[in-house]
Amino acid sequence: MLTEIYIENQNEKLKVQVVRSGRKTIGLEVKQEGSIYARIPYRLSDRELVRFVKEHEGWILKKYLETRNTDAGKTVPAPPVTSLTAADKKNIVEKIAKRVEYYCRIMNVQVGRITIRNQKTRWGSCSSKGNVNFNYLLYYLPEELLDYVVVHELAHRRHMNHSPQFWEEVEKYCPDYRNRRKQLKEYRTQ
């Protein structure tokens, strides 16, 4: 069973990582940092997989080149995580935790653990158990963007998806979330 497939892009080979799961459909994803994934059902044969990737090679290359050409946004004006002092880390955790606690109160939701990390591709995440993770770089962004990410993750305590109901929940506490989301996309996480 194939775990990766390569496609040619001028003088470089691009790796498509194969992720098998219980899903029923084939999905292709090109991440902002340029990694490429084919998410496929367990039962799909290697021959069908190769044919599907070949058929969608043009789309994959187009999306991959978009990630290379956009420069993926501005760099956050923050020190590298390796140079943070214990006091810096404490300040980051305190500030983000305070915003989480504030929005938990007004949104009437609860969370488990609050973790601050140096995440490569995300600003935040929320697990089905209610644990929330945030990128340390949020500390260095404008406060309204930190608040948007906190509200976004806490809205997942009501809706573990990005359905219309989820976005309605976000909008209740962050009416200009579309604008903030657009601003956040101007920055890159690494």
Side-chain angles (χ1 to χ4, degrees):
M1 284 173 51
L2 292 172
T3 57
E4 51 194 44
I5 299 173
Y6 289 87
I7 59 176
E8 299 285 330
N9 173 39
Q10 293 156 345
N11 56 357
E12 69 177 321
K13 274 185 162 180
L14 303 180
K15 179 169 73 169
V16 179
Q17 297 172 64
V18 178
V19 180
R20 293 178 189 270
S21 70
R23 66 185 293 147
K24 291 182 171 42
T25 58
I26 303 173
L28 289 171
E29 180 181 21
V30 180
K31 296 258 191 192
Q32 191 63 50
E33 81 283 356
S35 8
I36 306 164
Y37 295 91
R39 301 184 190 284
I40 66 168
Y42 286 121
R43 61 178 164 63
L44 192 76
S45 72
D46 285 349
R47 199 173 76 224
E48 288 174 293
L49 169 63
V50 170
R51 189 178 75 231
F52 181 84
V53 169
K54 287 280 175 231
E55 282 174 9
H56 293 84
E57 202 171 285
W59 181 88
I60 294 168
L61 289 171
K62 177 176 172 269
K63 291 291 180 190
Y64 176 79
L65 291 171
E66 283 173 11
T67 69
R68 301 281 65 102
N69 295 336
T70 60
D71 188 27
K74 301 182 267 194
T75 303
V76 177
V81 75
T82 50
S83 70
L84 294 174
T85 66
D88 292 335
K89 290 176 185 174
K90 183 175 181 280
N91 290 338
I92 292 168
V93 169
E94 280 178 5
K95 179 178 181 178
I96 294 174
K98 274 186 182 150
R99 300 314 291 159
V100 171
E101 288 160 14
Y102 170 77
Y103 280 106
C104 277
R105 267 195 316 277
I106 67 168
M107 293 173 75
N108 197 25
V109 295
Q110 293 182 328
V111 295
R113 256 191 339 269
I114 300 170
T115 309
I116 313 300
R117 294 194 171 118
N118 179 18
Q119 296 173 294
K120 298 277 181 246
T121 60
R122 293 176 165 199
W123 291 110
S125 61
C126 178
S127 76
S128 55
K129 292 180 179 171
N131 297 324
V132 287
N133 297 306
F134 295 97
N135 194 315
Y136 89 102
L137 294 173
L138 286 167
Y139 177 84
Y140 298 95
L141 289 179
E143 200 148 295
E144 65 270 13
L145 300 185
L146 165 60
D147 283 357
Y148 161 69
V149 175
V150 169
V151 168
H152 181 113
E153 298 315 328
L154 296 184
H156 282 309
R157 297 300 293 131
R158 295 209 194 294
H159 307 281
M160 279 304 285
N161 54 39
H162 289 110
S163 64
Q165 293 84 2
F166 167 83
W167 291 111
E168 284 169 20
E169 185 72 13
V170 170
E171 194 168 24
K172 278 185 209 170
Y173 304 99
C174 191
D176 65 338
Y177 81 87
R178 287 179 185 86
N179 185 37
R180 294 187 196 193
R181 189 172 173 214
K182 188 177 165 194
Q183 286 177 44
L184 191 63
K185 285 183 177 181
E186 293 173 9
Y187 292 95
R188 59 175 181 249
T189 53
Q190 58 170 333

